[in-house]
Amino acid sequence: MATTDKASTRDRLLDAAADLFYSQGVSVGIEALCRTAGVSKRSMYQLFAGKDEVLAASLERRIPLYEEQLSPASAAETTPRERVLRVFERVEHFSTRPEYRGCPFLAALVELKDPEHPASVVAGTAKDRLQEMFRAEAELGGARDAGLLARQLMLVFDGASARAGSRIETLDDGLATTTVTLLLDAAGVA
């Protein structure tokens, strides 16, 4: 019974952390986190060493959903080019939602500014996995320099996410996919 209660408390903390850190930034305090989660600080400290650990765990927990939301359609049904473009189409789609604040992993990296912070390590891993997916697709598509193209795609992805998330830019006009199409064409990706 205690295990179920702890899992429930842990889930509530991680859900609240993901929502608060994404909507308000990583500077959200323990008080607000615990209040939103409906748990005591004592309960939080029984599960986590501190806010840094909660932030890292909440980001780690987001990776599968993040990857699923951006994932291309089945590899058997599409080309590498279509799979890369699909990622940017998804970003354009999500960017139109009022709650969109950009890439949660990029936001954590920018706000924390410490590559050794536990949450920065998790966020960096998520970004590395996306870049590796771009590199693999670029290689499959015949890119002349798959590594360089993957880095370029990350610049477009992060820039589009940051600008749309901060409401500086809208992506509903296909700006990101148009830009990526040009990159794919220049790199020779079929």
Side-chain angles (χ1 to χ4, degrees):
M1 183 84 167
T3 306
T4 303
D5 291 343
K6 283 192 179 210
S8 176
T9 300
R10 185 177 196 283
D11 287 344
R12 287 196 325 263
L13 274 166
L14 293 178
D15 289 344
D19 291 345
L20 286 172
F21 295 142
Y22 185 65
S23 65
Q24 297 177 25
V26 299
S27 62
V28 169
I30 295 291
E31 298 274 341
L33 172 61
C34 291
R35 184 175 49 254
T36 301
V39 302
S40 69
K41 285 197 289 186
R42 180 175 176 254
S43 294
M44 190 211 78
Y45 283 112
Q46 287 175 336
L47 294 166
F48 299 99
K51 186 176 106 174
D52 291 349
E53 197 174 291
V54 175
L55 175 58
S58 73
L59 286 172
E60 182 76 41
R61 190 169 154 195
R62 281 187 90 145
I63 292 173
L65 176 61
Y66 178 77
E67 290 177 341
E68 180 184 314
Q69 287 176 331
L70 295 177
S71 69
S74 167
E77 299 172 11
T78 59
T79 66
R81 179 188 189 91
E82 291 167 332
R83 290 190 294 271
V84 168
L85 285 169
R86 167 94 159 104
V87 172
F88 291 91
E89 289 165 358
R90 301 301 297 155
V91 170
E92 289 172 346
H93 169 75
F94 288 119
S95 74
T96 63
R97 295 180 177 176
E99 68 276 8
Y100 184 75
R101 298 288 178 267
C103 172
F105 303 102
L106 178 63
L109 287 166
V110 169
E111 285 186 72
L112 292 169
K113 296 177 185 23
D114 175 6
E116 302 302 317
H117 188 286
S120 292
V121 172
V122 172
T125 298
K127 300 307 287 182
D128 289 346
R129 286 167 59 163
L130 181 59
Q131 183 169 330
E132 176 52 29
M133 186 276 294
F134 284 148
R135 190 209 57 74
E137 294 295 346
E139 191 172 281
L140 287 171
R144 287 183 276 285
D145 186 339
L148 175 62
L149 179 57
R151 290 174 52 218
Q152 292 170 323
L153 292 170
M154 287 302 295
L155 282 175
V156 174
F157 182 91
D158 287 344
S161 296
R163 291 182 62 81
S166 60
R167 302 292 183 235
I168 294 170
E169 189 73 61
T170 59
L171 302 177
D172 58 355
D173 59 357
L175 180 61
T177 53
T178 301
T179 303
V180 169
T181 299
L182 294 171
L183 283 172
L184 294 171
D185 288 347
V189 175

